């Protein structure tokens, strides 16, 4: 499958490329975003064209344009998280000062700040990071984001997703259907349709800490407030508020046998609770069915 894309680069006065915005991408024969003729008519001197094959995305990232193209492909939902290689991403992405005037090189920001004060023009610094926020490049359809600074470019957000103020979605992660996100979706984590991550909840990522298990959340699941997840969770599962379930957590089953939580990975219809008397983590059969409010997730 062939991929053709047109990108607009931001270049510092030192000649460094800081970011690449892709307003046009053709993915295969019949999938595309943007209008190629409209972009090329601008005759922007910083316009670049990128051509590659789907198999090229299985290889390590080769340059900054390649890195930004892969992040765009994820956020445009042409490819699923964990389906393409992001090897080399952190080495290639430069640290950038993200401002209300766009990307600025750290080497130039002091001069930019001084000039803004001398000219009485407000220069607001949003962040200093390798990743920009998603909405500075792509505005996903049918999605609510209460605080745009908490969603990075490379997030995969399906229609019907609501991300509240304390919700966070990293790159190469996201939702596969309507979902309520008031917790943290770490890199590599996918959340199934009709699932709810309560306030302060978190999912364990694979960027640090030595964890190599890909965490996922099935459909119709609930992570209670301030809970945590370190295993792949099946469909129709609940983790009670405040319970952090790691791969090594000892879990008592209904027959009084004890297993590590990892042995319950991807199992459906489980309710994980901590016995308030003994402190033991228990897994019971979940007999309830989570149903998100349809009025809240029709994000027109």
């Amino acid at each position: 499958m062939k991929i053709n894309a047109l990108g607009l680069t931001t270049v510092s006065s030192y000649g460094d490329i800081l970011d690449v915005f892709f307003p046009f991408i053709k993915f295969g024969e019949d999938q595309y975003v943007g209008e190629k003729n409209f972009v090329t008519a601008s005759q922007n001197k910083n316009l670049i064209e990128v051509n590659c094959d789907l198999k090229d995305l299985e290889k390590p990232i080769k340059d900054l344009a390649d890195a930004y193209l892969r992040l765009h492909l994820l956020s445009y939902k042409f490819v699923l998280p964990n389906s393409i290689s992001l090897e080399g991403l952190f080495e290639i992405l430069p640290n950038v000062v993200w401002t209300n005037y766009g990307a600025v090189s750290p080497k130039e920001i002091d001069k930019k700040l001084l000039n803004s004060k001398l000219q009485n023009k407000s220069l607001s610094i949003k962040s200093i990071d390798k990743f920009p926020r998603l909405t500075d490049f792509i505005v996903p359809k049918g999605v609510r984001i209460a605080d745009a600074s908490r969603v990075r470019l490379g997030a995969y957000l399906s229609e019907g997703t609501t991300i509240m103020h304390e919700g966070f979605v990293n790159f190469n992660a996201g939702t596969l259907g309507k979902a309520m996100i008031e917790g943290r979706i770490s890199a590599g984590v996918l959340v199934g349709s009709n699932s709810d991550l309560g306030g302060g909840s978190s999912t364990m990522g694979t960027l640090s800490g030595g964890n190599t298990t890909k965490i996922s959340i099935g459909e119709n699941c609930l992570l209670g407030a301030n809970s945590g997840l370190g295993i792949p969770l099946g469909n129709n599962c609940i983790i009670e508020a405040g319970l952090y379930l790691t791969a090594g957590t000892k879990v008592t089953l209904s027959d009084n046998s004890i297993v590590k939580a990892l042995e319950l990975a991807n199992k459906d219809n489980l309710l994980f609770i901590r016995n308030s008397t003994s402190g033991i983590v228990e897994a019971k059969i979940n007999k309830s069915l989570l149903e998100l409010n349809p009025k809240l997730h029709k994000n027109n």
Side-chain angles (χ1 to χ4, degrees):
M1 181 181 291
K2 299 295 183 181
I3 301 167
N4 172 247
L6 294 176
L8 295 169
T9 62
T10 301
V11 183
S12 75
S13 62
Y14 295 91
D16 304 318
I17 298 178
L18 302 176
D19 69 12
V20 186
F21 167 53
F22 286 95
F24 171 81
I25 299 177
K26 185 178 181 184
F27 189 81
E29 291 299 320
D30 53 4
Q31 296 186 74
Y32 66 92
V33 293
E35 295 292 337
K36 188 171 186 177
N37 291 338
F38 178 78
V39 177
T40 53
S42 68
Q43 298 182 335
N44 190 297
K45 64 179 181 180
N46 292 331
L47 183 67
I48 61 171
E49 184 168 7
V50 178
N51 293 286
C52 63
D53 192 274
L54 191 58
K55 289 185 178 180
D56 294 329
L57 303 181
E58 300 173 1
K59 302 172 184 177
I61 296 170
K62 60 184 180 181
D63 55 31
L64 191 64
D66 187 17
Y68 267 87
L69 176 60
R70 297 187 196 207
L71 294 174
H72 277 69
L73 290 174
L74 285 162
S75 289
Y76 278 131
K77 299 191 288 292
F78 285 132
V79 296
L80 284 168
N82 304 318
S83 67
I84 60 174
S85 173
L86 295 177
E87 183 181 346
L89 183 63
F90 280 89
E91 292 85 353
I92 288 174
L93 290 180
N95 221 26
V96 172
V97 182
W98 302 101
T99 78
N100 56 319
Y101 291 107
V104 176
S105 169
K107 294 181 287 188
E108 297 179 297
I109 190 59
D110 288 342
K111 185 176 180 180
K112 295 274 188 183
L113 275 172
L114 175 59
N115 286 338
S116 72
K117 303 300 183 185
L118 293 174
Q119 298 170 16
N120 198 28
K121 293 182 179 180
S122 176
L123 176 66
S124 175
I125 296 176
K126 303 172 186 176
S127 66
I128 305 171
D129 195 6
K130 291 176 177 288
F131 292 84
R133 59 186 186 179
L134 168 67
T135 53
D136 284 344
F137 287 74
I138 297 169
V139 180
K141 301 294 186 290
V143 170
R144 289 169 57 202
I145 303 174
D147 184 349
S149 68
R150 298 182 66 83
V151 183
R152 278 174 154 179
L153 180 65
Y156 183 109
L157 302 179
S158 295
E159 288 194 25
T161 296
T162 297
I163 303 169
M164 298 305 292
H165 298 79
E166 294 305 313
F168 172 83
V169 187
N170 213 335
F171 72 97
N172 196 37
T175 60
L176 297 177
K178 62 180 181 179
M180 170 61 79
I181 308 301
E182 298 179 272
R184 179 184 180 86
I185 305 179
S186 298
V189 176
L190 276 172
V191 177
S193 180
N194 205 48
S195 288
D196 186 336
L197 273 62
S201 64
S202 63
T203 53
M204 197 177 288
T206 55
L207 292 180
S208 60
N211 183 34
T212 57
T213 302
K214 289 291 184 184
I215 309 303
S216 60
I217 297 171
E219 298 180 355
N220 308 309
C221 290
L222 170 64
L223 268 61
N226 298 315
S227 65
L229 180 66
I231 66 169
L233 200 62
N235 298 323
N236 197 38
C237 291
I238 296 175
I239 301 178
E240 76 163 2
L243 173 61
Y244 205 118
L245 194 69
T246 67
T249 300
K250 298 294 180 64
V251 181
T252 299
L253 306 180
S254 57
D255 62 0
N256 290 322
S257 61
I258 300 175
V259 299
K260 289 184 177 181
L262 187 58
E263 296 180 47
L264 302 175
N266 296 309
K267 302 290 185 183
D268 298 337
N269 305 308
L270 292 177
L271 167 63
F272 294 94
I273 63 172
R274 186 181 296 279
N275 188 298
S276 60
T277 302
S278 65
I280 293 172
V281 176
E282 300 175 340
K284 299 180 179 293
I285 300 299
N286 179 30
K287 298 179 181 179
S288 62
L289 179 64
L290 177 69
E291 187 172 352
L292 297 177
N293 187 329
K295 294 181 180 180
L296 292 177
H297 300 277
K298 190 176 180 180
N299 296 334
N300 296 331

